[in-house]
Amino acid sequence: MSAPVSLTVNGRTVTLATASAARLSEALRHELGLTGTKIGCDAGDCGACTVLLDGRQVCACLVPVGQAAGRSVVTVEGLDDQGLRAAFLRHGAAQCGICTPGMLMAASDLLRRVPRPDEQQIEAALSGVLCRCTGYRKIVAAVLDARRASPAGDVETKAMGARRPRIDGLAKVEGREAFGADAVPKDALWLRAIRSPHHHARFEIGAWTPPAGVVRVLTARDVPGRNGFGIYPDIKDQPVLAEGVARYRGEPVLALLGERAALRAVDESAIPIRWTPLPHLHDPAAASAPGAALLHADRPGNLLTEGKLARGDAEAALAAAVHRAAVEIETGFVEHAYIEPEAGWAVRRGDRIEVTVSTQTPYMDRDEVAGVLGIAPEQVRIVPSACGGGFGGKLDQSVQPLIAIAAWLTKMPVAWVYDRPESMAATTKRHPARIQARMGCDADGRLVGFAFEGTFNTGAYASWGPTVAGRVPVHAAGPYRVPAASARARAIFTHLAPAGAFRGFGVPQAAIAHEMLIDDLALASGIDRLEFRRRNALRPDDLTVTGQALGPSAGLVACLNALEPHWRAALERARPGRGVGIGCMVYGIGNTAMSNPSTMRIGLAADGRLTLYSGAVDIGQGSNTVLAQIAAEALGVPADRIRLVAGDTDLTADAGKTSASRQTFVSGKACELAARDLRARLARLANASPEARIALGAGIAVEEGGRRTALDLGHLAPDRNGDALAGEGRFDPPTEPLDANGQGAPYASYAFAAQMAEVAVDRDLGTVKVLRMVAAHDVGRAVNPTLVEGQIEGGIAQGLGLALMEEWWPGQADNLHDYLIPTVGDVPPIETVLIESPEPLGPFGAKGVGEPGLVPTAPAILGAVRHATGVRPKRVPLTPARLRALIAGRSS
Amino acid sequence: MAAYARPTSLREALAALAEGPAVPLAGGTDLYPARVGRPPPERVLDLSAVAELRGVTQDADSIRIGAAVTWTELIESGLPDWCRALADAAGEIGGPQIQNRGTLAGNVCNASPAADGVPCLLALDARIEIDGRRTLPIAEFVLGSRRTALAAGEIVSAILLPKPRQAARSAFLKLGARKYLVISIAMVAGAVELAEDGSVAAARIAVGACGPVAQRLPALERRLVGGRLDPDLVRAEDFAALAPIDDMRGSAVYRRDAAMTLVRRLIGKLRDPG
Ligand SMILES: Cc1cc2nc3c(=O)[nH]c(=O)nc-3n(C[C@H](O)[C@H](O)[C@H](O)COP(=O)(O)OP(=O)(O)OC[C@H]3O[C@@H](n4cnc5c(N)ncnc54)[C@H](O)[C@@H]3O)c2cc1C
Ligand code: FES
Ligand code: FES
């Protein structure tokens, strides 16, 4: 034992029992309970743990407790800078909020020394903190603005269209928000998984007496219910713990329960697992070749699923085309890299289990946990913690099944927090794609035909593979009028981490291909690239490639028109080494040709308190705020009247998953309906019409035609939530199934966008600097423009990563210094233009924006690089080495 | 020795090490990241409070950078202009959190092929002071990837930069795949001494991340001496001895090609420091 260390933390003198060689972050979080300091990597890479040590920003995960002796530590809880916090709220600088404490501390270090910093100083000061949600620009703007007194009357009272600060924002900027790892009970057991070091291996577990402090070892045999989970009701192919065969590097085979420190100290090589490595298949071409060994006996050809589309005779149309283009493009594994690794804890209460977890999908978690425990879904309660970023990655099971099983069996609370390497190695990724596509147009530059063949590497288990294979063919031709099209997308099993859901479900990969083709054809027909797109853009009432007639909300032409002046100016500036590119997209909101309802409830208590019970989880994108704004608008009350209960499966109704950009559109509509229902019920009590005004001030009143009726709800028996009156709304967007040729009406609403990128390329080194982005998005109606911009900017940052730097490969990039995501210095200024072409089905005309922000970005950047250099990528990310090779005319 | 010791003098530090093996710790920015999910080393010798290891000092012959001096302290110490390579490298290490904690000595002792400090020290002809007793030239100190000339129980006490006898300049250039927080794909550092007539009197040009250890380019250095700083003097064969590898960050072919571009630009920068 080392001598106890004394220091000041947030102005208070404390003496720590934590070992002197341990990380300061450990002492802050686990001994002092200061969980505002976040852990994203324990390796200095993410900066989420940034605190001030004697006034200077440091990573608490890299400071030994002993070096803090006699010094002053300030954490977000002790940050004395209300101006900075207020600026973060005002600018929407916190989305999920997991990076926010680190950003605030880094900014405060700067502001103490430089009260009025410029943008460059701010970027340098924040450069050690990664944010995966915002694209950084709003954070930089907030710091620039931190010393401005918050102007009076800044907060708008209107609900719809207002730039309201997030309803859950204050907790985020004060470091009080509880994420998956932040509220673990003190008496919890911890869990550690032992994972396969091989891509494919048979294994046997021998007898083992674990060291002191490890209280229990779990194997596949301990799973009480079904040892399998998966997104689709009929595909539960992923085991909680592998049974005799591991199919990817990182697959869990054993779980240890015990004290945290004891688990850490376990030497894996001492555990008697006898591995017999087996040949592995990584390349989908090899895995789908005749005679290839099967990952799953019931999946011939290692084919998980195949999605198809055929409209007209694409081959004949291509043969008759005046100009034809063809591309072959390959994309890599992309990791979600949310700054909050998977985390949660479970506790058994009698014959029920309660799981608190960072998730995008509480109701699916509930059903999966029930399945692996062999109990009824009603016996499971999922309580979503704040979610420190999801992007699709938290639409799968991670900690849930094992912590639930462990808590069920031991009757003790059990917690599990992935470390970064585990999160990178074992969780889902964006599907690597290999795409071959062709497109043709007539002499006037009108598209006549399109053909697409995509192979998606789906890894070892199904996860969301079928969704990707289903969505891609429908989107493969892009946002264009294409009379004849054929498309096929296959998802192939390999011995790699499962590829799952990631912002866009395969569409971003496909968009790279269709936008390259469009650029080719524009070039071949001598038409300006923007003009070519406008000529072919889908417009209201047009038929899509699935034969669906679009409704009135199809604003791509308006998006392109908005870009045009920027485009012309950028073309003027272009020269060798500096280029401009453009990307367009269409995105179907909600599940593909499948029912995906949402139910929302709003309650009114006798004392006038309004509560929105929302099963939709806010993963940083802002649905909590948006739904409250919609509810307020529909009720006709100020938005700040709405209190929120979110996610808890015992207290809310199923709103479906936070995926497919659907919560604003689907849950938003359900919310509007719930509000209208409540309003009508109130009005009825006052014998007024459903349009009567609700007045909540001193008491509850209904006003109509100059008549005011005060209502006393005290005589109504309160329901189990304590509400006197409640409204409910359910919305399931109308879709039609797709036939064998992929024809039908798969989505009720479509979002459109066009983005433009300007880049500078260092042609000798192959490096690309994105100088500026302009993004025009048709969002139907911007419920909260700040949040919409935040989604677009964050999507652009991820699209930039996809285009230029992000690529994961097992064992080679299981951390955030080999796997590179954009830093504050990589995301350029972004100008957003919001096009509002109201969606009749959506709440007050709104549709979705969560994924669309990312889809057109990589195509725009890659097009700009091509404009600057004349080379077209064969593989993304277009890393400096790959780009340089293309420029120098080398093959790799 | 105890699980953790934080001596305040070099004598105590060496005495602690003499009691048995312990892992030296300075800023911890290499040490902790190498142990994610694992407990800290069993015995840690924290060097950050050792008086003799603190501060940047100078005498008539050299500048002495204590082994506990952080990158930020180095930047703020007001290094003379001929040390510009090192100051520039310091400003490009990780982000502010890493610069506030990490040390040049730790960077050298960690002996990563991608350590940005090493090519700078090659260019500046640095010597590594060990235990306050003996010194080794940097080229004899870093022996390979993660290998140094330190024997068990020895520590680096300081880094010595010999003062040039005539007008001198140095420069550093780093290539990474993103703006901040990036491990170099390749980096180059150079130092030149200039005669009265502006011709090159001495030149040291080093390339890092293109082999297990950063290396100087002797053929190019010889070609530069006696003439002007001319980027066109750089030839492909100057890079023949490098042994770059293919990895996630770039191919060997690319590294060699990029190193040549960087060295050309470096010579331009040495000519026109701006
Ligand atoms: C996010 C991040 C970004 C980084 N970016 C860069 C970068 O851009 N460029 C770069 O080159 N490096 C980078 N690094 C690596 C690291 O920060 C540097 O190598 C740093 O200078 C190491 O110094 P330290 O004092 O923290 O070393 P420590 O971690 O304390 O020690 C490193 C090693 O050296 C030994 N050691 C330390 N001091 C002595 C001594 N005096 N005598 C004997 N042995 C000693 C230790 O035992 C250990 O093995 C980065 C690291 C992180 C986490
Ligand atoms: S947790 Fe410390 S830098 Fe990521
Ligand atoms: S808001 Fe920055 S990581 Fe989520």
Side-chain angles (χ1 to χ4, degrees):
Chain A
M1 276 315 299
S2 43
V5 165
S6 291
L7 67 157
T8 32
V9 178
N10 299 333
R12 215 162 47 87
T13 305
V14 297
T15 301
L16 296 175
T18 307
S20 293
R23 302 160 188 264
L24 178 61
S25 51
E26 282 279 318
L28 293 174
R29 289 180 58 87
H30 292 276
E31 187 173 344
L32 300 178
L34 294 171
T35 51
T37 298
K38 305 300 177 192
I39 301 300
C41 69
D42 260 348
D45 294 324
C46 75
C49 64
T50 299
V51 299
L52 300 184
L53 180 62
D54 284 346
R56 295 276 195 162
Q57 57 166 317
V58 300
C59 293
C61 73
L62 302 182
V63 178
V65 166
Q67 277 189 31
R71 301 170 78 179
S72 152
V73 172
V74 180
T75 69
V76 68
E77 290 92 344
L79 173 67
D80 176 23
D81 194 337
Q82 296 312 327
L84 181 59
R85 286 202 175 95
F88 264 59
L89 283 178
R90 216 166 40 238
H91 286 270
Q95 286 190 18
C96 80
I98 193 85
C99 71
T100 308
M103 288 291 182
L104 289 169
M105 299 320 289
S108 78
D109 177 0
L110 172 70
L111 290 169
R112 263 157 226 241
R113 275 173 295 120
V114 188
R116 296 210 165 255
D118 62 26
E119 221 165 294
Q120 232 179 333
Q121 290 170 310
I122 293 171
E123 289 192 6
L126 302 184
S127 65
V129 191
L130 297 177
C131 174
R132 191 56 156 166
C133 299
T134 63
Y136 301 101
R137 302 322 310 176
K138 292 197 182 296
I139 297 175
V140 173
V143 180
L144 264 175
D145 200 23
R147 289 294 169 259
R148 190 180 65 131
S150 180
D154 213 18
V155 177
E156 301 181 58
T157 47
K158 73 170 176 163
M160 187 51 54
R163 290 185 178 271
R164 298 190 60 81
R166 317 175 56 99
I167 187 170
D168 44 12
L170 198 59
K172 293 181 198 286
V173 298
E174 291 183 343
R176 288 185 288 108
E177 186 80 293
F179 294 86
D182 291 342
V184 173
K186 276 252 179 279
D187 60 341
L189 286 174
W190 287 77
L191 192 149
R192 172 174 166 189
I194 305 300
R195 298 176 179 277
S196 171
H198 302 287
H199 299 301
H200 185 203
R202 248 194 324 272
F203 65 91
E204 283 164 59
I205 302 168
W208 180 51
T209 313
V214 177
V215 300
R216 184 142 181 187
V217 179
L218 302 177
T219 68
R221 277 198 304 274
D222 296 300
V223 178
R226 180 188 64 217
N227 186 19
F229 58 85
I231 304 305
Y232 284 77
D234 55 333
I235 320 179
K236 301 293 177 193
D237 63 350
Q238 187 163 359
V240 179
L241 289 168
E243 295 180 36
V245 180
R247 295 185 179 83
Y248 72 96
R249 187 181 185 278
E251 179 159 17
V253 300
L254 208 67
L256 314 181
L257 303 180
E259 296 158 16
R260 232 170 124 250
L263 292 180
R264 282 211 168 161
V266 169
D267 172 10
E268 268 194 50
S269 64
I271 305 175
I273 303 179
R274 218 175 58 237
W275 296 100
T276 312
L278 300 169
H280 60 261
L281 295 162
H282 277 177
D283 183 349
S288 56
L294 298 185
L295 271 91
H296 304 279
D298 59 344
R299 298 284 169 177
N302 287 316
L303 177 67
L304 164 60
T305 181
E306 181 175 75
K308 272 194 202 151
L309 178 136
R311 178 168 184 76
D313 187 341
E315 288 306 328
L318 282 167
V322 175
H323 302 289
R324 278 185 291 274
V327 294
E328 278 190 50
I329 184 96
E330 209 176 320
T331 70
F333 267 116
V334 184
E335 157 64 26
H336 303 88
Y338 21 71
I339 304 304
E340 179 204 31
E342 294 71 9
W345 51 278
V347 57
R348 179 172 181 171
R349 301 198 197 279
D351 67 349
R352 296 194 77 210
I353 187 94
E354 240 177 67
V355 181
T356 302
V357 65
S358 175
T359 182
Q360 294 180 244
T361 172
Y363 280 85
M364 194 183 81
D365 291 353
R366 182 193 66 173
D367 296 351
E368 294 290 7
V369 165
V372 300
L373 287 180
I375 60 178
E378 294 69 37
Q379 288 172 268
V380 181
R381 177 182 188 180
I382 303 291
V383 184
S385 67
C387 178
F391 318 116
K394 290 173 184 161
L395 283 169
D396 263 278
Q397 300 302 295
S398 58
V399 297
Q400 299 88 321
L402 264 176
I403 55 175
I405 292 167
W408 188 256
L409 296 177
T410 60
K411 302 194 169 67
M412 293 273 292
V414 175
W416 191 10
V417 177
Y418 280 12
D419 61 27
R420 178 59 58 179
E422 185 169 38
S423 175
M424 305 273 305
T427 68
T428 60
K429 308 275 174 281
R430 181 184 294 289
H431 283 74
R434 213 169 271 167
I435 294 170
Q436 296 174 312
R438 289 168 294 142
M439 209 178 235
C441 67
D442 65 16
D444 298 330
R446 290 188 202 281
L447 297 177
V448 295
F450 173 73
F452 176 99
E453 180 74 39
T455 305
F456 290 79
N457 188 338
T458 213
Y461 297 104
S463 178
W464 289 84
T467 312
V468 169
R471 186 174 275 270
V472 166
V474 177
H475 289 78
Y480 305 111
R481 297 165 159 168
V482 185
S486 75
R488 184 166 80 130
R490 294 181 311 146
I492 305 291
F493 286 113
T494 59
H495 294 107
L496 287 164
F502 191 161
R503 221 171 183 177
F505 290 106
V507 176
Q509 295 96 306
I512 292 172
H514 66 62
E515 292 304 273
M516 275 169 70
L517 290 169
I518 293 281
D519 280 350
D520 283 347
L521 293 178
L523 202 67
S525 45
I527 301 172
D528 171 77
R529 287 173 284 161
L530 184 144
E531 174 52 30
F532 191 95
R533 286 171 167 86
R534 184 160 49 201
R535 204 167 283 188
N536 289 287
L538 284 169
R539 291 161 164 80
D541 304 324
D542 277 350
L543 291 184
T544 68
V545 284
T546 72
Q548 178 179 3
L550 288 175
S553 177
L556 182 57
V557 171
C559 290
L560 287 164
N561 291 344
L563 285 192
E564 192 161 16
H566 303 279
W567 174 252
R568 301 272 160 243
L571 283 175
E572 291 287 317
R573 288 189 287 265
R575 54 174 191 273
R578 181 176 173 136
V580 51
I582 186 168
C584 292
M585 71 110 228
V586 58
Y587 198 81
I589 303 300
N591 295 3
T592 308
M594 263 197 284
S595 162
N596 62 134
S598 171
T599 302
M600 291 276 144
R601 292 194 188 117
I602 303 175
L604 178 61
D607 63 0
R609 213 165 42 146
L610 268 173
T611 309
L612 168 62
Y613 301 92
S614 157
V617 283
D618 190 323
I619 57 173
Q621 89 284 24
S623 58
N624 283 345
T625 310
V626 162
L627 295 176
Q629 284 181 254
I630 290 170
E633 180 79 11
L635 280 165
V637 302
D640 54 12
R641 294 298 305 226
I642 312 269
R643 208 174 62 95
L644 185 77
V645 169
D648 187 325
T649 57
D650 271 12
L651 303 179
T652 66
D654 190 353
K657 303 167 181 78
T658 296
S659 72
S661 306
R662 59 182 287 285
Q663 292 298 21
T664 297
F665 177 58
V666 184
S667 290
K669 188 68 192 179
C671 198
E672 182 196 332
L673 296 173
R676 291 198 191 288
D677 183 32
L678 176 62
R679 191 170 176 165
R681 282 170 198 269
L682 266 174
R684 221 171 299 139
L685 289 180
N687 284 322
S689 82
E691 299 311 314
R693 211 177 84 78
I694 311 294
L696 301 173
I700 302 164
V702 174
E703 299 173 351
E704 192 170 35
R707 185 172 67 99
R708 180 186 165 92
T709 314
L711 292 177
D712 177 11
L713 303 184
H715 66 279
L716 297 173
D719 64 16
R720 65 178 189 133
N721 296 324
D723 294 320
L725 216 54
E728 184 172 297
R730 181 178 187 276
F731 180 61
D732 189 2
T735 60
E736 279 168 29
L738 295 173
D739 68 16
N741 286 324
Q743 300 297 295
Y747 309 101
S749 178
Y750 292 88
F752 292 85
Q755 292 182 1
M756 184 196 107
E758 264 186 281
V759 305
V761 179
D762 183 328
R763 285 170 295 167
D764 295 320
L765 293 175
T767 50
V768 176
K769 174 145 187 60
V770 182
L771 302 169
R772 175 167 177 251
M773 297 280 315
V774 186
H777 281 250
D778 167 18
V779 298
R781 176 88 187 269
V783 179
N784 182 327
T786 302
L787 294 178
V788 173
E789 288 161 8
Q791 284 307 291
I792 293 168
E793 293 175 12
I796 285 175
Q798 292 184 355
L800 188 153
L802 170 69
L804 300 177
M805 61 180 83
E806 296 188 31
E807 186 163 27
W808 177 86
W809 200 248
Q812 289 176 45
D814 289 339
N815 57 60
L816 294 174
H817 52 265
D818 291 315
Y819 186 83
L820 299 181
I821 66 171
T823 68
V824 65
D826 299 297
V827 182
I830 298 167
E831 190 167 327
T832 301
V833 187
L834 298 181
I835 303 294
E836 297 192 318
S837 74
E839 166 57 60
L841 289 171
F844 303 100
K847 41 192 187 183
V849 74
E851 290 153 298
L854 151 67
V855 179
T857 309
I861 292 172
L862 297 171
V865 171
R866 179 179 182 184
H867 189 223
T869 61
V871 302
R872 212 174 68 153
K874 301 186 177 90
R875 200 184 157 106
V876 295
L878 191 53
T879 57
R882 289 188 184 131
L883 178 54
R884 175 63 194 153
L886 289 171
I887 292 171
R890 285 194 302 268
S891 60
S892 87
Chain B
M1 156 200 157
Y4 173 86
R6 192 163 184 242
T8 52
S9 74
L10 185 55
R11 194 177 45 77
E12 286 174 86
L14 295 175
L17 272 178
E19 284 172 32
V23 178
L25 167 78
T29 63
D30 276 318
L31 193 138
Y32 286 97
R35 285 174 172 77
V36 176
R38 288 193 290 139
E42 268 173 38
R43 274 200 292 277
V44 171
L45 178 67
D46 188 328
L47 299 173
S48 60
V50 174
E52 293 90 331
L53 272 53
R54 305 230 36 110
V56 180
T57 53
Q58 53 179 309
D59 60 20
D61 301 323
S62 59
I63 292 182
R64 181 180 187 278
I65 301 166
V69 170
T70 64
W71 296 106
T72 300
E73 287 166 346
L74 201 53
I75 296 167
E76 292 176 355
S77 70
L79 289 175
D81 203 46
W82 57 268
C83 298
R84 175 102 166 252
L86 197 53
D88 282 356
E92 288 201 60
I93 301 282
Q97 293 93 330
I98 303 303
Q99 293 165 20
N100 285 341
R101 299 276 312 151
T103 61
L104 173 60
N107 188 248
V108 172
C109 291
N110 191 56
S112 157
D116 286 327
V118 177
C120 298
L121 296 186
L122 282 167
L124 295 172
D125 208 18
R127 297 185 73 84
I128 308 298
E129 183 192 286
I130 297 167
D131 289 356
R133 281 199 283 261
R134 63 178 178 121
T135 67
L136 278 179
I138 176 76
E140 289 170 32
F141 181 80
V142 184
L143 301 178
S145 173
R146 314 267 166 203
R147 271 196 322 121
T148 69
L150 275 185
E154 283 185 329
I155 57 166
V156 167
S157 44
I159 288 148
L160 307 176
L161 308 178
K163 291 185 175 172
R165 275 175 297 274
Q166 48 204 326
R169 291 175 188 163
S170 70
F172 171 80
L173 288 174
K174 164 169 175 166
L175 168 65
R178 69 179 176 190
K179 174 83 186 280
Y180 295 112
L181 284 179
V182 70
I183 301 175
S184 300
I185 303 172
M187 67 289 198
V188 298
V192 289
E193 289 175 31
L194 300 173
E196 299 263 314
D197 66 354
S199 67
V200 177
R204 287 177 300 274
I205 309 289
V207 179
C210 288
V213 198
Q215 278 184 40
R216 281 173 55 181
L217 304 177
L220 172 64
E221 292 172 359
R222 279 194 299 275
R223 207 174 304 123
L224 287 169
V225 171
R228 303 271 144 193
L229 284 164
D230 179 1
D232 290 338
L233 291 174
V234 178
R235 298 187 192 150
E237 60 264 29
D238 296 337
F239 300 83
L242 299 182
I245 54 163
D246 289 319
D247 68 9
M248 298 274 299
R249 286 187 277 278
S251 63
V253 177
Y254 172 69
R255 283 199 160 90
R256 208 179 275 280
D257 179 66
M260 193 155 121
T261 299
L262 290 174
V263 168
R264 284 215 174 96
R265 291 183 186 174
L266 182 81
I267 290 171
K269 198 172 165 190
L270 286 166
R271 183 187 55 201
D272 315 306

